């Protein structure tokens, strides 16, 4: 059964207490928290104080997706704020291996995200050091975009690469995920589904999470 990581970017920021309560009661596995700096991506979302509050409101895993330049400068701060998993972007890290070591040494699980234009092969030499890889299925920066179909092929290729390592490295997919395209992604090898708009804009978010979770 796949893991479901609702992206709070699409939730009601005025009532994050209610959002956390609903997610705690739901079958969601992780809280996916998108941090944007207005430099790496052309948007700014939320930052450390918000994550600290969300941390206090849930015992579920906080999966923090950093869409920021120079993430190594803030890695300890995100640990202190309560991140369990820290995702950095391949495209922003000049010294990716040392960034991964830093995340691990602070007691978080390291993950690397790749943009739609970045080939999965670029992660070959770092793969065995990762808890999961995040394949962006839209361009990062905004919720509510359409899924890029080529991503399916990238998930398949990544799955092959992971099998060769004989390690359990998860594949997370993020962007434009819906009840309609989730089955193909899981079939291709995705283990963790991030979904923002399709959950929070649905009539019954808890039920949408349940349905996503039920997709074999
Ligand atoms: C995009 C973020 C995603 C986004 C997903 O930059 O990384 O996590 O919130 O939102 P939807 O599901 O609406 O595409
Ligand atoms: Zn994300």
């Amino acid at each position: 059964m796949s893991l479901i990581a609702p992206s709070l970017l699409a939730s009601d920021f005025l009532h994050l207490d209610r959002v956390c309560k609903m997610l705690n009661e739901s079958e969601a596995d992780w809280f996916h928290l998108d941090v944007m700096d207005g430099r790496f991506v052309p948007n700014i979302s939320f930052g450390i104080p918000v994550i600290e509050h969300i941390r206090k409101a849930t015992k579920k895993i906080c999966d923090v997706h950093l869409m920021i330049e120079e993430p190594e400068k803030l890695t300890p701060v995100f640990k202190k704020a309560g991140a369990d998993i820290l995702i950095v972007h391949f495209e922003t890290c000049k010294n990716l291996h040392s960034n991964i070591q830093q995340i691990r040494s602070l007691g978080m699980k390291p993950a690397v995200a790749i943009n739609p234009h970045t080939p999965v092969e670029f992660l070959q030499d770092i793969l065995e050091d990762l808890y999961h890889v995040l394949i962006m299925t839209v361009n990062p920066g905004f919720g509510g975009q359409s899924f890029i179909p080529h991503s399916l092929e990238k998930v398949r290729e990544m799955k092959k690469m992971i099998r060769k390592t004989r390690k359990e490295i998860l594949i997370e997919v993020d962007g434009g995920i819906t009840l309609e395209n989730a089955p193909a992604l899981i079939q291709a090898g995705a283990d963790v589904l991030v979904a923002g708009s399709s959950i929070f804009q649905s009539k019954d978010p808890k039920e949408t999470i349940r349905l996503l979770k039920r997709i074999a």
Side-chain angles (χ1 to χ4, degrees):
M1 204 181 266
S2 48
L3 300 175
I4 308 301
S7 164
L8 279 77
L9 191 64
S11 72
D12 180 357
F13 286 1
L14 200 55
H15 299 291
L16 279 176
D17 51 349
R18 291 181 204 162
V19 171
C20 292
K21 187 170 180 290
M22 182 279 288
L23 291 177
N24 286 337
E25 290 166 357
S26 78
E27 293 184 36
D29 297 279
W30 299 354
F31 279 37
H32 184 83
L33 305 173
D34 290 299
V35 180
M36 304 177 185
D37 66 354
R39 291 175 65 215
F40 174 55
V41 290
N43 197 9
I44 294 175
S45 55
F46 50 77
I48 288 126
V50 173
I51 295 177
E52 282 172 350
H53 279 84
I54 292 172
R55 172 72 289 167
K56 286 183 201 141
T58 188
K59 290 192 173 65
K60 296 197 185 193
I61 288 169
C62 288
D63 181 42
V64 178
H65 180 187
L66 297 184
M67 285 161 274
I68 65 173
E69 300 280 359
E70 300 180 299
E72 65 280 1
K73 289 193 177 161
L74 289 169
T75 300
V77 181
F78 283 105
K79 167 66 186 174
K80 202 159 167 270
D84 299 296
I85 303 170
L86 204 61
I87 309 166
V88 293
H89 263 263
F90 175 85
E91 298 82 8
T92 62
C93 295
K94 288 190 191 121
N95 296 293
L96 186 57
H97 187 262
S98 81
N99 292 1
I100 297 304
Q101 284 178 315
Q102 181 197 28
I103 293 169
R104 207 178 272 285
S105 72
L106 286 165
M108 294 176 285
K109 290 177 172 161
V112 174
I114 53 170
N115 275 347
H117 71 274
T118 303
V120 292
E121 292 77 21
F122 284 16
L123 295 183
Q124 181 70 63
D125 291 342
I126 198 83
L127 201 52
E128 299 203 16
D129 297 303
L130 304 181
Y131 175 63
H132 78 66
V133 295
L134 191 161
I135 297 179
M136 287 304 299
T137 46
V138 297
N139 284 297
F142 300 91
Q145 304 178 76
S146 300
F147 174 79
I148 298 172
H150 174 63
S151 317
L152 271 174
E153 191 49 40
K154 291 178 78 173
V155 174
R156 280 186 212 109
E157 281 176 40
M158 179 55 80
K159 197 70 176 182
K160 277 188 216 154
M161 280 167 60
I162 291 174
R163 279 210 188 96
K164 283 185 194 152
T165 69
R166 296 180 182 277
K167 293 202 169 172
E168 274 195 39
I169 302 156
L170 302 174
I171 299 179
E172 183 173 32
V173 284
D174 182 7
I177 313 286
T178 62
L179 281 167
E180 288 69 39
N181 60 27
L185 281 159
I186 291 170
Q187 179 95 36
D191 305 289
V192 188
L193 306 178
V194 175
S197 314
S198 68
I199 290 177
F200 289 103
Q201 283 173 19
S202 67
K203 266 202 191 124
D204 184 348
K206 222 187 268 183
E207 176 63 7
T208 306
I209 293 168
R210 197 186 69 82
L211 293 173
L212 280 168
K213 187 85 192 161
R214 289 289 168 281
I215 296 168

